[in-house]
Amino acid sequence: MNILAIETSCDETGMALLHAEGGLRAPKLSVLMNLVASQIPIHRPFGGVVPNLAKREHLKNLPVLYRKMFGSGPRAARLWKKINLVTVTVGPGLEPALWTGIEFAKQLSREHKKMLVGANHLEGHLYSFLLPAEKKLITNHQSPIGHIFPAIALIVSGGHTALLRVESFSKWRRLGETRDDAAGEAFDKVARLLDLPYPGGPEIEKLANTGGPGAIFFPRPMLHEKNYDFSFSGLKTAVLYFMKENVDANKADVAASFQQAAIDVLVMKTMRAVRQYNAKSVILCGGVAANKKLRDDLRVAAKEIGVSFFAPQTAYNFDNAAMIGAAGYFTVLRKKIYRLSAQGTLDI
Ligand code: KG4
Ligand code: ZN
């Protein structure tokens, strides 16, 4: 099946073309084209994503990406002939932004008479570890399904932090989530305290590389509570007070110590779930999964107890349409139906 996927839930406009086969038991995905137009420079002066600016930029970018992918005339017609499915993110995300993609996808599916399904952005992150580098066909031979499930998946992005117990490509249960700030949000807020630009995650990571992770003690919220929820706002407040009381503090030490505190909680709770549920693998995904220290710490922890570790290729950590193509494919296989309207708080 050939899939055209569209993503506009936040500040990246994405359009991708995928080939998917193999079904729920042996999915094989190949990314034929993955286009992303980033809006980061536009939102940066505001220190975060401005929904109406995002909407305006998506409206501008969607036709540009479409022309880049389809060209015009016979090439477009040839490509459309091969496409079987159009899929678009319907949530969660910023509703004005989501609507732009949904309307664009509806128009295309009407015009070219193709099936259209809504996709869940968080499911996109969850499946993103299956995506191969562009123009390569990956088969699941490196990770036979029996070596993946049951899995514990940690989704860490700017808007979400969730821990799932995943039984298969169609069945999972949420074990816990954040009670306040998402992990990425905590990185972004602490970055602001350190006068670093938006998005803060990569900036904190860069600065942390020159600091000491054990230089300052910051709390590890909810580490010892017997649930799988997270809380990051107390950690951010601890950094705020520390900065107020230590105006000459070495910012690299603050960044490294904060980063380590956040990572310790994420890794320890994930690994506790792995042990409790006898999982065969750990799946790490979402924008914060781009953090090398988090990937390394979680990979090492998984290796220590002999479970596999999966994380997406770098390009697929961040919001992109290729992962939405994967989510759309599995949505069809699962016979799940998402309403074709913006659902800002859609859950996984
Ligand atoms: O998944 P994503 O691209 O968008 C959402 O769906 O939210 O995640 C964006 C988040 C931002 O909060 C950003 O600061 C964070 O991911 N992030 C990082 C890193 N790169 C991006 N956080 C920590 N370390 C990084 N290297
Ligand atoms: Zn995302």
Side-chain angles (χ1 to χ4, degrees):
M1 171 184 287
N2 291 314
I3 305 170
L4 172 67
I6 294 170
E7 151 69 31
T8 61
S9 69
C10 193
D11 59 348
E12 317 282 6
T13 319
M15 197 173 289
L17 207 51
L18 260 81
H19 177 77
E21 59 183 72
L24 283 171
R25 297 201 57 78
K28 293 175 193 168
L29 302 173
S30 64
V31 181
L32 307 172
M33 221 186 283
N34 183 44
L35 306 177
V36 183
S38 175
Q39 302 178 8
I40 286 177
I42 288 156
H43 298 285
R44 184 163 269 170
F46 302 94
V49 182
V50 184
N52 278 324
L53 272 184
K55 171 183 165 177
R56 190 191 73 188
E57 289 304 302
H58 288 310
L59 287 172
K60 208 162 72 190
N61 291 337
L62 282 166
V64 175
L65 296 190
Y66 181 81
R67 270 196 302 278
K68 207 166 165 186
M69 183 172 283
F70 285 83
S72 56
R75 178 181 144 76
R78 263 201 314 276
L79 206 49
W80 271 112
K81 244 186 219 146
K82 292 184 191 155
I83 290 174
N84 313 98
L85 174 75
V86 179
T87 185
V88 61
T89 310
V90 293
L94 305 168
E95 293 198 352
L98 288 163
W99 273 119
T100 63
I102 295 170
E103 290 303 339
F104 197 80
K106 277 186 178 170
Q107 197 187 326
L108 288 178
S109 93
R110 259 197 311 267
E111 204 177 319
H112 300 278
K113 299 188 176 54
K114 302 290 175 183
M115 173 159 78
L116 171 63
V117 298
N120 181 320
H121 182 86
L122 294 175
E123 289 173 14
H125 278 304
L126 176 62
Y127 294 126
S128 61
F129 79 99
L130 291 170
L131 295 167
E134 219 168 318
K135 300 196 173 75
K136 285 209 176 98
L137 178 72
I138 201 167
T139 61
N140 62 350
H141 66 267
Q142 291 159 315
S143 49
I145 213 160
H147 292 191
I148 304 178
F149 302 120
I152 296 296
L154 175 66
I155 305 180
V156 271
S157 72
H160 295 85
T161 299
L163 200 60
L164 311 176
R165 178 195 160 144
V166 188
E167 305 299 337
S168 68
F169 288 119
S170 59
K171 194 168 166 224
W172 53 79
R173 182 161 70 83
R174 205 180 45 210
L175 300 174
E177 64 194 327
T178 182
R179 296 206 180 155
D180 39 58
D181 294 347
E185 201 177 349
F187 272 84
D188 294 338
K189 286 180 176 171
V190 168
R192 225 172 294 154
L193 296 176
L194 299 177
D195 297 319
L196 298 169
Y198 176 85
E203 302 289 335
I204 294 260
E205 179 169 21
K206 220 184 306 163
L207 188 58
N209 285 337
T210 59
I216 305 155
F217 179 79
F218 288 127
R220 268 81 174 147
M222 302 187 66
L223 186 62
H224 299 294
E225 286 185 29
K226 281 202 178 73
N227 56 45
Y228 291 112
D229 284 343
F230 300 94
S231 163
F232 290 105
S233 85
L235 174 55
K236 171 204 67 194
T237 309
V239 176
L240 173 69
Y241 285 132
F242 180 85
M243 294 300 290
K244 276 192 179 156
E245 284 158 18
N246 302 274
V247 279
D248 296 327
N250 178 337
K251 286 184 178 177
D253 283 343
V254 176
S257 302
F258 155 75
Q259 176 176 270
Q260 196 59 53
I263 290 175
D264 281 353
V265 180
L266 292 168
V267 171
M268 285 186 193
K269 286 215 150 176
T270 304
M271 296 314 295
R272 195 190 298 159
V274 168
R275 284 189 298 271
Q276 179 177 343
Y277 294 102
N278 244 325
K280 291 195 181 134
S281 75
V282 175
I283 300 169
L284 173 66
C285 56
V288 183
N291 188 289
K292 193 174 174 306
K293 187 75 172 53
L294 172 60
R295 283 165 98 100
D296 288 351
D297 283 8
L298 201 51
R299 182 186 293 111
V300 168
K303 201 171 170 201
E304 263 170 18
I305 60 166
V307 304
S308 308
F309 173 78
F310 299 108
Q313 310 244 354
T314 318
Y316 303 127
N317 283 306
F318 308 111
D319 290 349
N320 65 85
M323 71 181 196
I324 299 306
Y329 177 58
F330 287 107
T331 300
V332 171
L333 295 174
R334 291 158 58 208
K335 300 189 171 54
K336 170 123 189 138
I337 295 173
Y338 284 112
R339 253 187 306 123
L340 285 163
S341 59
Q343 295 154 65
T345 56
L346 186 68
D347 221 335
I348 187 162

